[in-house]
Amino acid sequence: MSEQISDRGGLVQGLLIQGFLKVRGLQKFIPARLRRGVAVVPVVRLSGVIGAVTPLRPGMTLAGVAKTLERAFATKNAKAVALVINSPGGSPVQSRQIYLRIRQLAAEKKLPVLVFVEDVAASGGYMIACAGDEIFCDPSSILGSIGVVGGGFGFQELVKKIGVERRLYTAGSHKAMLDPFLPENPDDVARLKALQREIHAIFIALVKGSRGGRLKGTEDALFTGEYWAGETSVALGLADGIGDLRSTLRDRYGENVLTPVIAPASGMLSGLLGRRSPGAGALSALDGFGGLPDELISALETRAIWAKFGF
């Protein structure tokens, strides 16, 4: 009886081998990234101001990048995930949420994350870069700006000059805090600065937790909001090395490494699925020129954020 079982096992094994040899001839028709033994490192580009969303100028948000990140981490045969970052920062909330999602996916899929900085990874852009197990940059890249900034305008004198009366009704003593048409209140400024210090502390803790012992220098040097070029960033431990995506991945995973770019869904279908669906605030822009002033201000603000870093 045992001999019969042994014979059957050998027959099954032989059939499996024959089947494998037949299929092997068809391997060339299988997409390269699906073949066994081929190193694949999917690439996701994260670019632009973070969280600055207007009808015609959507910024980078978790909602906008979540599906793309999930597709990248689900790529078959992936050895790692590469993120190409080019962002001057923006919303601290969206920055941290994107950071957390990347780390969650990396833990779930047990894949390392390699970050490659292009022109800028500053402020919130650097916060996202910290989601990488390693950070690489160009010698001319700008990194850092680990701080919090807020600003506005004061129009109270202009209102007086043109003879406009300001009428403001609130319930709550601080509801009109920092209103641009009222004189600046020192107490309101103190409250704002306290809020900024709290957010700054969260940012610092994230950088320390991500970079750990690789950071060099004192907190007074690293966390003042200053930013640096690539070589100095590496020396300070804000990045791990100078390197471009193609060369770095080839050195690490071989000349034949595949680097498919995982892009967001596009076209009519994505619009039907809601990726580009306008929010309630977008309707005026779609009706004509009603949203033009807001779009102009948004464009100027975006331009100013990039200009801070010389771009």
Side-chain angles (χ1 to χ4, degrees):
M1 183 71 177
S2 61
E3 290 179 358
Q4 289 179 343
I5 294 175
S6 176
D7 290 341
R8 288 178 181 176
L11 177 61
V12 171
Q13 185 178 12
L15 291 173
L16 288 173
I17 293 173
Q18 290 179 30
F20 171 75
L21 292 175
K22 289 180 181 179
V23 173
R24 190 177 182 186
L26 301 175
Q27 189 176 18
K28 62 183 178 180
F29 297 106
I30 300 175
R33 65 186 179 85
L34 299 180
R35 299 176 193 167
R36 289 186 178 181
V38 176
V40 180
V41 180
V43 179
V44 176
R45 296 185 61 86
L46 300 174
S47 302
V49 176
I50 302 165
V53 180
T54 62
L56 301 179
R57 291 180 176 273
M60 192 198 314
T61 63
L62 176 61
V65 304
K67 291 295 184 183
T68 305
L69 291 171
E70 289 168 7
R71 287 171 53 211
F73 279 93
T75 301
K76 189 176 180 61
N77 296 333
K79 300 297 183 184
V81 171
L83 305 178
V84 179
I85 294 179
N86 193 13
S87 173
S91 164
V93 174
Q94 292 298 324
S95 302
R96 187 171 180 274
Q97 288 187 348
I98 294 171
Y99 164 92
L100 290 175
R101 183 61 57 87
I102 294 167
R103 292 315 310 163
Q104 290 163 0
L105 290 169
E108 291 170 9
K109 301 298 183 179
K110 296 179 173 58
L111 289 174
V113 178
L114 306 178
V115 166
F116 296 88
V117 178
E118 291 190 322
D119 298 307
V120 181
S123 194
Y126 183 71
M127 184 184 289
I128 295 175
C130 284
D133 295 288
E134 296 178 75
I135 300 175
F136 300 92
C137 59
D138 186 85
S140 298
S141 298
I142 292 175
L143 291 82
S145 191
I146 303 168
V148 180
V149 64
F153 300 93
F155 297 110
Q156 69 273 12
E157 296 301 325
L158 177 62
V159 168
K160 291 179 183 178
K161 184 175 293 187
I162 62 177
V164 175
E165 181 183 357
R166 172 68 163 157
R167 294 175 180 175
L168 184 66
Y169 312 100
T170 67
S173 57
H174 301 298
K175 191 62 178 177
M177 188 176 78
L178 300 176
D179 185 281
F181 297 99
L182 296 176
E184 188 174 68
N185 185 330
D187 290 339
D188 291 346
V189 175
R191 291 187 186 92
L192 175 62
K193 287 187 173 294
L195 180 63
Q196 289 179 325
R197 285 192 294 270
E198 186 176 349
I199 297 172
H200 193 199
I202 294 170
F203 194 172
I204 292 172
L206 184 148
V207 174
K208 286 182 175 179
S210 301
R211 300 299 297 168
R214 288 174 288 185
L215 292 174
K216 302 174 181 63
T218 65
E219 291 194 12
D220 289 341
L222 294 173
F223 304 134
T224 62
E226 189 177 354
Y227 45 88
W228 302 270
E231 296 283 1
T232 304
S233 298
V234 172
L236 290 171
L238 298 176
D240 297 286
I242 300 296
D244 65 280
L245 183 143
R246 187 170 185 269
S247 301
T248 302
L249 295 184
R250 284 190 166 198
D251 289 343
R252 186 161 300 189
Y253 298 105
E255 292 292 319
N256 295 322
V257 63
L258 298 176
T259 56
V261 176
I262 311 300
S266 60
M268 183 181 296
L269 181 60
S270 68
L272 294 174
L273 293 176
R275 189 179 70 86
R276 293 184 177 179
S277 298
L283 297 180
S284 62
L286 297 177
D287 288 337
F289 294 100
L292 188 58
D294 287 341
E295 289 304 321
L296 179 59
I297 293 173
S298 174
L300 291 173
E301 289 178 342
T302 301
R303 180 66 262 167
I305 293 173
W306 281 105
K308 177 181 177 182
F309 302 101
F311 296 97

